[in-house]
Amino acid sequence: MKAKVFITRQWPSSVEEQLKAHYDVTLNEDDRPLTADEFKVALQNYDAVCPSVCDSFSADILNVENKRCKILANFGVGYNHIDIEAAAAQQLTVTNTPGVLTESTADLAMTLLLMSARRGAEGDRLIRSKQWQGWCPTHMMSSDVTGSTLGLVGFGRIAQAMARKAHHGFAMKIIYFKPSDAEQSVVEDLNARRCDSIEELMRSADFVSLHCPSGEATYHLINQQRLGLMKTTAHLINTARGDVVDTDALIKALQENRIAGAGLDVYEGEPNVDDALIRLDNVSLLPHLGSATIATRTAMGNKVLENLAAFFSGNRPPDKVL
Ligand code: DGY
């Protein structure tokens, strides 16, 4: 008998074909966001449920009675949308998809950095609104990227990939903050310097890029006080998770031009984006596109397939986080 697998959102078609070949699978062909009650019913009726980073699996949902589900095979590397304590108490296995989205997410962080530095989104809006009056020596002047200093908060896979692109492609100086030293070979390749504190990094960087996971320890890590330490010419880039930044404090800093700009791919309470952010010209906004390339999303789906195959053959899934 094939295991019953429930997929919460639409996945790349080649992965969905594989799912159909190996499992008794229910897909979400309309790609409609599902409700908490629908998640509960899925947990009661399927051996595996495969959420995406947009689906919140709270304790209330995970504690539903008469569960059949034994594994949450997440489509995404971040799993802050799953209440891990509740999943542990329910003896659920949880897997994610690390590694395969590193380069595409780092590419997107660089995209936002360049957009913010060079006022790309603002220029695009100017032309579309037919307001462009033509070239002039002082029009839309912006910040240099090449040779400037990139400060990375968190120095895992994605941060290091961004640092490689920034250092080897744009001759950027690399500083980072993480509790312990990074591997010597990485530090040497990037000529990177570890800051002793986030405060030191915030003061020194021309671009601050966030790469830490979401959680209690990082909630509003970038707050009013830390934003206040940034150079007035500096930019904040966030491709990690929205709640790492205190949005109200960021909006105030941008409104008062206390920093030059921000590039955001993730938001507190997404997909809702604060109207005050939308009204600002000095912020570039993307809709959580970090891993959104065809190759990466397909590779993420294939990782879920590997995790499911290992689990249902009685082996440890390669990307088991719980
Ligand atoms: C993840 O996998 O956690 C990303 O945010 C999706 O792009």
Side-chain angles (χ1 to χ4, degrees):
M1 270 242 301
K2 287 180 175 176
K4 284 188 77 183
V5 173
F6 186 87
I7 308 296
T8 63
R9 297 302 295 265
Q10 189 171 62
W11 286 11
S13 51
S14 63
V15 185
E16 290 192 341
E17 289 311 311
Q18 289 295 312
L19 285 162
K20 283 188 209 161
H22 294 99
Y23 300 105
D24 176 0
V25 65
T26 297
L27 303 171
N28 181 348
E29 273 158 23
D30 306 331
D31 204 17
R32 177 177 63 82
L34 302 182
T35 62
D37 283 344
E38 287 172 300
F39 290 148
K40 287 183 184 173
V41 173
L43 291 168
Q44 288 169 324
N45 290 287
Y46 291 82
D47 301 300
V49 173
C50 303
S52 302
V53 299
C54 52
D55 304 316
S56 172
F57 275 71
S58 62
D60 173 58
I61 293 172
L62 294 171
N63 292 343
V64 66
E65 286 182 352
N66 303 322
K67 254 189 303 301
R68 171 170 175 161
C69 179
K70 294 279 177 286
I71 176 170
L72 294 177
N74 186 50
F75 185 101
V77 66
Y79 50 89
N80 57 303
H81 54 291
I82 299 172
D83 186 320
I84 281 292
E85 269 180 36
Q90 294 293 323
Q91 294 177 318
L92 285 165
T93 293
V94 177
T95 60
N96 69 344
T97 62
V100 291
L101 46 77
T102 303
E103 295 299 333
S104 52
T105 307
D107 285 352
L108 197 92
M110 281 307 295
T111 305
L112 280 171
L113 185 155
L114 290 160
M115 282 170 74
S116 191
R118 300 306 306 272
R119 304 174 62 178
E122 204 184 328
D124 182 87
R125 282 195 296 276
L126 185 80
I127 291 191
R128 287 177 199 278
S129 64
K130 301 202 180 291
Q131 300 297 308
W132 186 31
Q133 307 284 321
W135 193 93
C136 98
T138 55
H139 183 225
M140 282 193 70
M141 293 187 294
S142 61
S143 319
D144 274 323
V145 171
T146 298
S148 63
T149 298
L150 173 61
L152 298 144
V153 177
F155 204 50
R157 280 183 296 259
I158 297 171
Q160 290 180 19
M162 183 184 190
R164 280 194 298 277
K165 297 169 203 297
H167 182 67
H168 296 299
F170 292 87
M172 293 179 84
K173 299 176 217 31
I174 305 299
I175 58 177
Y176 67 96
F177 174 73
K178 94 182 236 293
S180 54
D181 278 325
E183 231 177 86
Q184 195 51 33
S185 59
V186 173
V187 170
E188 277 169 19
D189 175 46
L190 298 169
N191 196 18
R193 178 173 72 79
R194 185 168 83 88
C195 294
D196 289 333
S197 63
I198 288 208
E199 283 70 22
E200 183 194 339
L201 180 138
M202 302 298 287
R203 273 192 209 99
S204 315
D206 298 307
F207 298 90
V208 174
S209 188
L210 306 177
H211 299 279
C212 46
S214 160
E216 263 173 51
T218 57
Y219 180 76
H220 286 188
L221 183 75
I222 305 303
N223 55 19
Q224 184 182 352
Q225 184 251 330
R226 290 188 170 127
L227 287 165
L229 299 175
M230 289 174 72
K231 300 179 190 179
T232 52
T233 51
H235 297 251
L236 180 76
I237 310 301
N238 190 8
T239 54
R241 283 292 182 267
D243 61 7
V244 175
V245 178
D246 177 343
T247 310
D248 291 340
L250 175 63
I251 289 170
K252 205 158 185 291
L254 290 166
Q255 283 170 338
E256 295 172 2
N257 293 314
R258 283 192 275 110
I259 61 174
L264 308 178
D265 189 40
V266 287
Y267 306 87
E268 289 191 276
E270 66 183 62
N272 299 318
V273 177
D274 200 309
D275 281 338
L277 271 180
I278 291 173
R279 282 194 294 271
L280 282 166
D281 252 341
N282 53 353
V283 61
S284 301
L285 306 170
L286 293 179
H288 204 148
L289 295 180
S291 61
T293 70
I294 298 165
T296 296
R297 290 283 165 85
T298 304
M300 289 163 73
N302 287 336
K303 277 237 138 196
V304 179
L305 284 167
E306 285 167 28
N307 286 318
L308 289 174
F311 182 81
F312 287 120
S313 56
N315 297 313
R316 184 188 165 86
D319 308 306
K320 183 171 159 50
V321 294
L322 179 70

